[in-house]
Amino acid sequence: MTNSSEAPRTLAYWQRAAATLRIDTRPVIGGQRVEPLTTETFQSVHPHDGRVVATYPACGMAEIDLAVAAARKAFEAGCWSGLAPAERTRVMHRLGDLLRQHGDELALMDSLEMGMPIAQALGDIDESIDGLRALAELASQLTDLVLPSAPHALALNLRVPHGVVGAITPWNFPLYVALSKVAPALAMGNSLVLKPSELASLSCLRLAELALEAGLPPGVFNVVPGRGLPAGQALARHMDVDCLTFTGSTATGLQLLQDAGRSNLKVTLLECGGKSPQLVFDDLDDMDTLADTLVQGFAWNSGQVCVAGTRILVAQHLFDRLAEALAERVGTCLTGDPLDPTTTHGPLASRGQFERVTHLLAQAHKQGARVLARGQVASAAQGCHLGATLLADVASDHIVMQDEVFGPVAGLMPFADVDQALALANATRYGLFATVWTRDLPLAHRFARRLRAGSVVVNAVASPRTAHVRGSGAEPVGLSGYGIEGGAAGLRAYTRQRSVQFNLG
Ligand code: NAD
């Protein structure tokens, strides 16, 4: 399906497109769709109304083995790894063009499978394409090092690709997160096997087809649908995977480290969960605008955002005024049909996610939290809708203020002074992201250095897009993982440094 240039993008347009969407769930291995070896299947479900979107083969070790072998063969053949960086850049730009042409189809796939509002899913595709192009360009400009040496010697530090990269990705931004791994890995000359989330794999499978159409040689990029166990585990434990790049929960990240340790000591890059603070100091006065952005910071994508600012920490002096503005704003949040272009908040991605979030809310209630405001659910139908929820009377050690909820839920707490603000912000085992709201930029700068966070954003909404400003790389802290993502350093993460020395004498 290519984008239609005439049809207005109404709910009816998206419903028609959904009814005629081509669905192919077979793995892409060695440059083509292949019949899976397994007969076991699982399904993805539209969380708005419970309809089955796709039935997937539950691939496992056999398919992963085939995909890794194809990736290895392509890597050793040098059909991609052996190209000049500028040639790889050209192919990646062609892929960007194809993603643009098929943007509606890809956005629809993500929206149907995990409930992301279609308008947001389209924006995500645009961001993904921009990121792909930016990394492709940057990769062709990276330089190696010539080291100081004696006149009869030449000493170099070269960056060489790892070889076969295994990528395991989550469902919350299916294509965007996959591309944040696929793009740097490919740009640096690696071959890849991607195991997308079992909740939303359609756009990643389509990505592999489009990459072939763009000119990526067969076998360089393979996509295998399957569950974490056994498909993800098979990739993590594989003896011929050189680097494992993962985005997902901390629990899975910890498991993958053990798998890497029990196999071949593959390099691991882990982007895991977060429990990010949004810190508001008392020198601000426009409460309505502030409330808008703070709510967006925790309720965007129904809170299923790794960098969601779920701990709103507010200077005592502003607390009552801001609480009132936040409550009003949260009350106007409305969840609706993801295929309606006017919808800004969709359902949670799955029944399991809905139950997890409601369970955490019940625990919060037991620990004394009070619902200060709740958003509205326009059309719950059989779906997994949950209104944005703002909690008051929470303490830093409450479960809801410590565990990642991954739903549109935030706790509101006051702080008395700057020291307490820092202590509360850092009272987490995670360290992914933080936002600071103040006009006092020297104070914000001091905080940026002392906050436990891979990225700090001052006076802007928490968003993975802000985090991945072109050229900016960030590395998480603590249970949020490690390994730089983004920018030149993020490209280098997909290489090893090699020392080469010539005796010319
Ligand atoms: P998840 O950990 O349940 O699953 C992520 C991926 O890992 C899926 O593909 C899944 O099939 C696979 N998996 C699960 N168990 C596995 C195992 N034992 N071995 C190998 N693979 C396994 O996470 P999720 O629910 O899909 O995504 C939500 C999580 O992702 C949240 O914790 C969120 O914070 C995190 N996330 C982090 C970032 C970031 O940049 N830090 C970005 C997006 C999402």
Side-chain angles (χ1 to χ4, degrees):
M1 168 185 164
T2 44
N3 298 354
S4 155
S5 51
E6 291 114 44
R9 306 289 201 276
T10 57
L11 174 59
Y13 167 84
W14 291 110
Q15 284 170 336
R16 268 196 311 277
T20 54
L21 187 65
R22 182 179 73 91
I23 298 211
D24 189 343
T25 58
R26 292 171 299 162
V28 178
I29 298 177
Q32 56 187 334
R33 293 280 188 171
V34 300
E35 292 307 321
L37 301 168
T38 181
T39 52
E40 203 194 315
T41 59
F42 64 91
Q43 294 178 322
S44 67
V45 169
H46 186 38
H48 174 62
D49 58 15
R51 86 181 95 140
V52 171
V53 178
T55 300
Y56 289 95
C59 295
M61 195 180 291
E63 290 86 353
I64 291 286
D65 269 347
L66 285 177
V68 171
R72 173 62 62 197
K73 191 171 161 206
F75 183 77
E76 298 304 338
C79 52
W80 181 251
S81 54
L83 294 185
E87 291 181 73
R88 290 199 289 260
T89 299
R90 260 199 298 279
V91 174
M92 292 178 71
H93 276 304
R94 277 204 293 275
L95 175 58
D97 296 340
L98 287 169
L99 293 176
R100 174 82 60 219
Q101 280 169 34
H102 294 270
D104 280 8
E105 177 186 4
L106 295 161
L108 183 59
M109 287 170 164
D110 282 357
S111 186
L112 282 174
E113 290 203 294
M114 58 70 63
M116 182 186 290
I118 191 72
Q120 186 200 313
L122 287 166
D124 250 41
I125 304 297
D126 289 346
E127 279 291 323
S128 304
I129 296 167
D130 289 352
L132 170 80
R133 291 193 192 284
L135 285 177
E137 280 301 322
L138 193 55
S140 66
Q141 292 160 16
L142 287 184
T143 51
D144 290 321
L145 273 183
V146 178
L147 301 165
S149 61
H152 66 274
L154 176 63
L156 308 173
N157 268 168
L158 304 180
R159 305 293 319 191
V160 296
H162 286 300
V164 176
V165 172
I168 301 178
T169 51
W171 45 261
N172 58 337
F173 297 93
L175 189 76
Y176 177 88
V177 173
L179 262 172
S180 71
K181 299 180 175 310
V182 172
L186 288 181
M188 299 312 286
N190 296 280
S191 292
L192 219 87
V193 178
L194 168 65
K195 205 290 296 165
S197 166
E198 53 272 48
L199 261 55
S201 302
L202 285 179
S203 58
C204 290
L205 287 162
R206 196 68 185 103
L207 172 68
E209 283 185 329
L210 294 174
L212 287 163
E213 201 177 323
L216 199 72
V220 172
F221 176 35
N222 309 274
V223 180
V224 180
R227 297 195 182 95
L229 288 176
Q233 186 184 64
L235 198 53
R237 291 189 175 174
H238 208 286
M239 296 301 283
D240 204 25
V241 170
D242 303 297
C243 166
L244 184 71
T245 176
F246 168 74
T247 296
S249 63
T250 296
T252 307
L254 289 167
Q255 178 59 49
L256 295 183
L257 270 183
Q258 294 186 31
D259 289 326
R262 284 208 198 101
S263 52
N264 60 344
L265 274 186
K266 51 181 67 68
V267 172
T268 49
L269 305 168
L270 304 178
E271 294 280 321
C272 300
K275 194 73 203 171
S276 304
Q278 304 199 69
L279 277 160
V280 185
F281 287 95
D282 60 6
D283 56 3
L284 300 160
D285 40 35
D286 180 357
M287 293 302 108
D288 290 337
T289 306
L290 193 52
D292 261 3
T293 43
L294 293 172
V295 172
Q296 202 195 333
F298 82 83
W300 180 54
N301 203 30
S302 298
Q304 302 163 125
V305 182
C306 54
V307 298
T310 52
R311 296 183 298 134
I312 304 181
L313 310 174
V314 183
Q316 183 75 63
H317 172 67
L318 276 192
F319 191 81
D320 290 343
R321 275 173 66 212
L322 186 57
E324 196 182 321
L326 282 168
E328 199 182 314
R329 179 68 191 87
V330 167
T332 65
C333 286
L334 178 68
T335 80
D337 185 342
L339 294 190
D340 183 337
T342 63
T343 295
T344 49
H345 299 269
L348 291 172
S350 66
R351 180 56 49 189
Q353 193 59 20
F354 180 83
E355 280 163 9
R356 187 171 171 272
V357 175
T358 44
H359 174 69
L360 277 164
L361 279 173
Q363 281 185 309
H365 177 68
K366 265 195 213 148
Q367 288 192 299
R370 175 170 57 89
V371 174
L372 189 63
R374 176 157 281 160
Q376 305 156 44
V377 174
S379 47
Q382 316 138 48
C384 309
H385 290 264
L386 182 84
T389 307
L390 183 64
L391 299 174
D393 300 342
V394 286
S396 196
D397 61 353
H398 283 185
I399 293 168
V400 77
M401 295 300 270
Q402 285 297 321
D403 286 7
E404 186 181 44
V405 178
F406 229 54
V409 177
L412 184 64
M413 282 181 71
F415 60 80
D417 55 33
V418 167
D419 288 342
Q420 195 190 15
L422 187 66
L424 285 175
N426 283 346
T428 168
R429 292 163 302 152
Y430 293 105
L432 196 58
F433 204 90
T435 52
V436 179
W437 296 87
T438 178
R439 284 201 218 104
D440 183 346
L441 296 188
L443 172 76
H445 192 245
R446 277 203 307 283
F447 262 65
R449 289 178 175 277
R450 297 185 62 194
L451 282 166
R452 184 182 161 83
S455 299
V456 178
V457 167
V458 179
N459 296 336
V461 74
S463 138
R465 295 178 189 168
T466 327
H468 296 138
V469 166
R470 303 289 163 261
S472 164
E475 182 157 30
V477 179
L479 289 187
S480 293
Y482 58 77
I484 300 180
E485 201 157 90
L491 285 168
R492 290 196 178 96
Y494 287 91
T495 64
R496 283 176 191 270
Q497 181 156 310
R498 177 164 301 169
S499 166
V500 180
Q501 296 174 32
F502 293 83
N503 179 358
L504 306 170

